[in-house]
Amino acid sequence: MNGIHDMDGMQGLGEIGYREDEPGFREQWEIRVFAMVRAMQPGSLRVYIESIPAEDYLRMSYYDRWYTALVKRIIDGGDVTHAEVESGRADPVTVKATPALTPLGVHEYLFRTPKTELDIELTPRFHVGDRVLGRNINPATHTRMPRYTRGKKGVVARDRRVFNLPDSEEVSAEPKPQHVYLICYTAKELWGESGSTRDSLYIDMWEGYLDPD
Amino acid sequence: MIDPRGVLSEMGLDVPNDVEVRVWDSNAAFRYFVLPERPNGTESMSEADLAALVTRDAMIGVSKVATSTAESVS
């Protein structure tokens, strides 16, 4: 989706606001949201974060977005009802996970990273050193292909092996495993005269995002 | 992304023109960690002494490791 989240290369957003003493969390509730997301393992919240209206998205802090996305995700998934979120109390009628998650259980989840690489052999369409061209796709749903790579020429730097394509358009009962490639773009190719002749950018691209150049 | 040198400069690190900047966009399954460059003149230092030099900013790649606070980027 060509949404507000796809900000790479945008200008005019002001200074970063660098602080030497930047805390990991700015508010206590952010720690709770972080722990809830890790403990519930809701899968990627990207789709939900990207569906936040642009005017709200720009007003929200980082963990505002996490919270908004998590609530939508667990209501959509049937884990809680809208009324329960509004009241802050569990409805005794709805079925809840048992046993309830304990603080100790949360700790176990915090540092668990699911393996996303798939043990599938697929013939790669591209090889290290191949020149590739970013396809000019504009899906209205989730994609991991940022706008700034579309129509741009790069070189395959590494074959990451096989991963499931996470694009929403492709979501179905059947996973869509593809090779993912690390692609190198020159700063000049991406940003024209603004790019330094010496600099470059590396990004992972699913095979379906690319055509041979 | 369009101006990595400008971003680093805003955070106190001016990258010389003869140093290549590579931007890594972690849009997929891979994440990265920063291995700070070892400062000159630290060859005889112990692991613990070296660890004491490392700052948060050095670990997120927006500052170089200085051998003393007097040399640190301000």
Side-chain angles (χ1 to χ4, degrees):
Chain A
M1 191 207 303
N2 294 341
I4 193 65
H5 63 280
D6 191 0
M7 289 180 160
D8 302 325
M10 276 180 69
Q11 296 162 318
L13 293 170
E15 290 187 4
I16 290 167
Y18 170 70
R19 277 175 58 184
E20 205 169 334
D21 60 347
E22 177 82 40
F25 295 95
R26 295 186 183 198
E27 313 256 359
Q28 284 297 307
W29 65 264
E30 295 178 336
I31 302 173
R32 295 177 67 87
V33 169
F34 179 80
M36 280 158 60
V37 169
R38 295 303 306 220
M40 296 192 72
Q41 302 268 310
S44 176
L45 291 177
R46 291 280 357 149
V47 172
Y48 292 94
I49 289 173
E50 291 166 16
S51 69
I52 296 171
E55 62 269 31
D56 296 332
Y57 185 97
L58 288 173
R59 258 194 300 273
M60 287 178 176
S61 71
Y62 184 78
Y63 284 106
D64 277 338
R65 293 174 195 149
W66 272 44
Y67 175 73
T68 303
L70 177 67
V71 168
K72 193 159 182 349
R73 162 72 182 78
I74 60 180
I75 290 175
D76 280 7
D79 299 308
V80 297
T81 64
H82 188 72
E84 287 177 311
V85 173
E86 285 297 308
S87 70
R89 307 219 178 283
D91 183 337
V93 176
T94 57
V95 179
K96 298 299 166 195
T98 50
L101 191 61
T102 62
L104 202 64
V106 172
H107 191 267
E108 186 199 328
Y109 277 115
L110 280 180
F111 304 104
R112 182 185 291 178
T113 307
K115 181 181 188 305
T116 49
E117 185 182 341
L118 302 174
D119 289 321
I120 299 174
E121 287 296 326
L122 286 177
T123 306
R125 188 178 183 204
F126 304 110
H127 299 91
V128 172
D130 284 358
R131 298 196 54 83
V132 290
L133 174 70
R135 294 181 57 211
N136 186 12
I137 56 169
N138 290 270
T141 46
H142 178 65
T143 179
R144 298 294 173 93
M145 184 186 191
R147 262 181 288 182
Y148 74 87
T149 61
R150 300 180 195 161
K152 301 295 183 182
K153 296 175 177 183
V155 176
V156 177
R158 209 171 293 173
D159 184 343
R160 299 295 208 179
R161 297 186 51 75
V162 178
F163 293 82
N164 191 41
L165 179 69
D167 291 31
S168 298
E169 273 190 336
E170 308 288 345
V171 166
S172 65
E174 291 294 312
K176 293 287 196 309
Q178 292 186 0
H179 274 260
V180 173
Y181 306 93
L182 177 67
I183 308 295
C184 174
Y185 297 94
T186 65
K188 283 276 176 224
E189 170 70 8
L190 296 178
W191 315 116
E193 288 307 305
S194 307
S196 160
T197 46
R198 195 176 288 275
D199 298 347
S200 52
L201 180 141
Y202 289 76
I203 181 171
D204 290 318
M205 300 283 265
W206 271 262
E207 194 167 84
Y209 300 163
L210 302 167
D211 281 325
D213 174 28
Chain B
M1 183 137 316
I2 191 169
D3 183 21
R5 291 169 185 271
V7 169
L8 291 171
S9 175
E10 217 179 289
M11 300 176 100
L13 180 67
D14 288 311
V15 181
N17 281 334
D18 63 343
V19 173
E20 179 187 346
V21 174
R22 293 182 179 183
V23 176
W24 293 77
D25 186 339
S26 56
N27 64 321
F30 289 84
R31 298 292 179 265
Y32 305 97
F33 73 87
V34 174
L35 188 60
E37 185 181 24
R38 185 174 188 158
N40 289 329
T42 58
E43 288 73 13
S44 61
M45 290 177 72
S46 69
E47 184 180 335
D49 289 342
L50 286 168
L53 296 178
V54 175
T55 60
R56 180 203 68 173
D57 283 0
M59 290 306 298
I60 58 174
V62 301
S63 167
K64 297 186 81 161
V65 175
T67 47
S68 74
T69 50
E71 291 176 40
S72 66
V73 179
S74 58

